[in-house]
Amino acid sequence: MAPLLPFAENIWLAEGSEVSVAGFRFPTRAAVIKLTDGTLFIWSPIHLSAELRDAIDALGIVRHIVAPNSLHHLFLPEWKQAYPGAVLYAPPGLREKRKDIAFDADITASVPWASEIDHIAMSGNRITTEIVFFHRTSGTVLFTDLLQQIPPHMVRGWRALVARLDKMTGSEPQVPHKFRFAFTDRAAGRAALRTILAWPVEKVVMAHGMPVEHDAGVYLRRAFAWLD
């Protein structure tokens, strides 16, 4: 498989190695977006192999490296080492969690890429505050952990039962029960969701699940109907 796969206008996806969390294996995915100035925005960095780096360097200069929530941080140091001139952005809670990483900026309303990529924080969740992004040119919304679809063959035994009950291995990406229960401030979650549903979404990408490329708006309303 090629290290970078074209997904939509000015956006490519990179499939990464599996990661293990509490004995559960997860597929990983990053997105690369080319901005109008020709520089690159990296979302949810995966392991930076030599092949992936060559493919990225052929697209342009990496200017922005973005961790979308406090759970996606494993590969940030290798990206910062490879691209010291890029700005490394921290989501809420990650600076405190990874004090060993020298972040350059926080994800705020005044980020340089705001004219091309919208973002909203889905706050009020005990597990993590996830930043959801929307690339206007391609109509692609980027979720990280709030939507998941783990291939059933990746979990076995009692973990397969847990994954099924948690809605991690359904027929389409869903919000796992653990994240639903963790919304202690559902009003904050609903407010962010209203913004997301107002975006003219055509495609949905997530770090752990197959992208949704048809009827994306209808799909998102279905996936988050429990929060309404």
Side-chain angles (χ1 to χ4, degrees):
M1 180 182 294
L4 278 180
L5 300 173
F7 181 71
E9 185 177 356
N10 290 325
I11 182 168
W12 293 258
L13 301 182
E15 306 299 319
S17 56
E18 296 175 2
V19 297
S20 180
V21 179
F24 291 87
R25 294 184 298 147
F26 291 83
T28 59
R29 175 179 295 115
V32 179
I33 297 174
K34 177 173 280 191
L35 303 176
T36 53
D37 65 0
T39 64
L40 304 179
F41 171 102
I42 310 296
W43 169 84
S44 189
I46 59 174
H47 169 59
L48 184 61
S49 66
E51 294 78 13
L52 178 56
R53 182 171 181 178
D54 288 344
I56 287 173
D57 291 345
L59 284 180
I61 298 173
V62 175
R63 183 65 52 81
H64 311 284
I65 302 172
V66 178
N69 67 30
S70 61
L71 305 177
H72 279 232
H73 54 81
L74 294 179
F75 305 109
L76 297 180
E78 59 190 71
W79 283 78
K80 186 59 178 176
Q81 181 178 8
Y83 300 105
V87 177
L88 179 59
Y89 294 87
L94 191 51
R95 283 184 183 270
E96 296 76 17
K97 184 174 184 177
R98 291 297 303 267
K99 295 181 179 180
D100 59 309
I101 298 178
F103 290 96
D104 301 299
D106 295 317
I107 302 174
T108 65
S110 59
V111 289
W113 30 266
S115 63
E116 300 179 55
I117 303 173
D118 291 326
H119 68 276
I120 187 75
M122 288 204 75
S123 55
N125 194 291
R126 293 194 312 271
I127 297 176
T128 190
T129 296
E130 180 163 310
I131 309 296
V132 182
F133 298 86
F134 177 64
H135 180 229
R136 298 177 189 174
T137 301
S138 67
T140 301
V141 66
L142 301 166
F143 279 89
T144 312
D145 290 314
L146 287 179
L147 291 171
Q148 297 184 20
Q149 185 188 31
I150 309 304
H153 73 268
M154 293 182 64
V155 286
R156 299 182 182 278
W158 64 267
R159 288 188 174 87
L161 175 61
V162 171
R164 180 171 60 82
L165 293 176
D166 197 33
K167 295 188 176 295
M168 295 166 60
T169 55
S171 59
E172 67 177 8
Q174 300 179 75
V175 181
H177 275 308
K178 57 180 171 288
F179 282 97
R180 300 186 190 198
F181 297 150
F183 269 103
T184 54
D185 187 347
R186 292 171 70 93
R190 284 193 292 268
L193 180 62
R194 284 195 293 271
T195 295
I196 294 168
L197 295 180
W199 289 333
V201 177
E202 298 180 13
K203 301 173 185 289
V204 182
V205 167
M206 60 218 71
H208 314 297
M210 291 299 296
V212 175
E213 301 188 57
H214 304 285
D215 299 321
V218 173
Y219 159 72
L220 285 177
R221 285 175 171 79
R222 183 168 64 248
F224 285 94
W226 57 272
L227 189 56
D228 286 346

